[in-house]
Amino acid sequence: MSTTIPKETLIFFKKLATNNDRDWFNEHKPEFKAIETKVKAAYNYLGELMNSHDQIEKIKIFRIYRDVRFSKNKLPYKTHFGGSFARKKPELRGGYYLHIQPNDESFIATGFWEPNKEDLLRIRKEFEMDDSEMRTILSDKAFKETWGGFVGDELKTAPKGFDKEHPAIDLIRRKQFIFTKKYKDKDVIAEGFLEEVNDDFKKIRPYFDYMSDVLTTNLNGESLL
């Protein structure tokens, strides 16, 4: 099993970026399939590492083919690999994502991309009632050094039914609860990169433990499972 991201991955995607058409891709498809096999093995290896500290239910590596039906961008191929790691449901919430792209555009992401309306309301109600535990997690030194702060979409004002002057309005108005970290190309192809990613994912755990507890209980702290 591959324990590194092969450097050929970044080289191939740089070439594809300037030759993003079916003729070129079909001519170089055997090269891509060989790279894809190694990269899939690397994602599965990362999943094994993560299972030492979490419960990963499913690993999904996204296809290179773009869905151009409703897009103005008609280029047929993605110029990156992306893969998600789903936690065991329903008790464990949140997910992980690893994105491999040249020109220092690789990153990891974790959190809640598109919480459904019930989860979103439950999270906002928790912050309205008490945001202290979330603030403690966000202010932790090791956490901040790795993940920084929240990224993603947010409302410009308070959501319906919430006070725009509430002290936790910066958290309440969020629509996504995501953290990201970027990596340079030299880091991605280095020995130990996947182990570093795994260590970074470990540091998100206090956040996931908190959010899982929130989303599996009601406002009285009673289990919904």
Side-chain angles (χ1 to χ4, degrees):
M1 179 178 290
S2 177
T3 59
T4 60
I5 302 294
K7 63 182 180 181
E8 294 84 7
T9 307
L10 303 181
I11 295 169
F12 182 87
F13 280 136
K14 284 180 180 180
K15 291 177 182 176
L16 179 59
T18 57
N19 299 278
N20 200 330
D21 63 74
R22 289 179 176 82
D23 288 342
W24 187 92
F25 184 79
N26 287 333
E27 184 181 342
H28 294 83
K29 193 169 184 178
E31 179 187 354
F32 170 74
K33 297 304 287 186
I35 293 169
E36 183 183 46
T37 297
K38 293 179 182 177
V39 170
K40 284 183 175 180
Y43 273 79
N44 286 326
Y45 171 69
L46 176 58
E48 287 186 6
L49 294 176
M50 293 166 67
N51 266 318
S52 69
H53 57 85
D54 205 340
Q55 296 180 64
I56 302 302
E57 193 170 56
K58 183 180 179 182
I59 301 173
K60 180 178 181 181
I61 299 169
F62 301 104
R63 300 170 75 232
I64 194 171
Y65 306 99
R66 295 186 63 254
D67 183 355
V68 300
R69 291 173 299 170
F70 308 107
S71 174
K72 291 181 180 179
N73 180 358
K74 298 301 181 183
L75 294 175
Y77 305 106
K78 301 170 187 173
T79 54
H80 65 266
F81 278 116
S84 64
F85 303 81
R87 306 180 79 213
K88 186 175 182 291
K89 300 293 185 295
E91 61 269 34
L92 302 180
R93 299 300 185 90
Y96 307 89
Y97 175 79
L98 170 60
H99 184 99
I100 303 298
Q101 185 172 352
N103 303 315
D104 299 334
E105 292 295 328
S106 297
F107 66 90
I108 55 174
T110 187
F112 298 80
W113 282 260
E114 293 180 342
N116 61 44
K117 63 180 183 179
E118 292 82 11
D119 283 353
L120 184 58
L121 179 61
R122 176 67 184 88
I123 293 167
R124 285 170 169 168
K125 284 291 187 183
E126 185 69 24
F127 293 153
E128 181 183 49
M129 187 171 66
D130 180 11
D131 65 336
S132 61
E133 194 168 347
M134 186 75 256
R135 301 288 187 193
T136 299
I137 292 168
L138 293 174
S139 63
D140 178 79
K141 185 172 183 288
F143 187 96
K144 284 179 69 175
E145 285 176 352
T146 298
W147 293 106
F150 280 125
V151 297
D153 296 341
E154 61 182 10
L155 298 172
K156 291 182 178 179
T157 186
K160 186 177 180 180
F162 291 87
D163 179 5
K164 66 180 180 180
E165 302 299 329
H166 192 283
I169 195 61
D170 59 316
L171 297 174
I172 292 169
R173 71 184 183 206
R174 298 209 65 83
K175 295 166 64 178
Q176 297 176 312
F177 301 89
I178 305 166
F179 298 94
T180 63
K181 179 185 176 183
K182 296 187 75 170
Y183 299 93
K184 295 187 179 299
D185 290 355
K186 63 181 179 63
D187 300 320
V188 171
I189 60 175
E191 290 283 344
F193 169 67
L194 297 172
E195 286 79 3
E196 181 183 349
V197 169
N198 181 55
D199 286 342
D200 289 338
F201 279 151
K202 273 185 190 178
K203 293 171 188 170
I204 205 70
R205 190 58 179 272
Y207 169 67
F208 272 174
D209 288 347
Y210 167 76
M211 292 291 264
S212 294
D213 184 58
V214 168
L215 292 172
T216 57
T217 59
N218 61 24
L219 284 169
N220 292 321
E222 298 162 336
S223 176
L224 300 174
L225 300 180

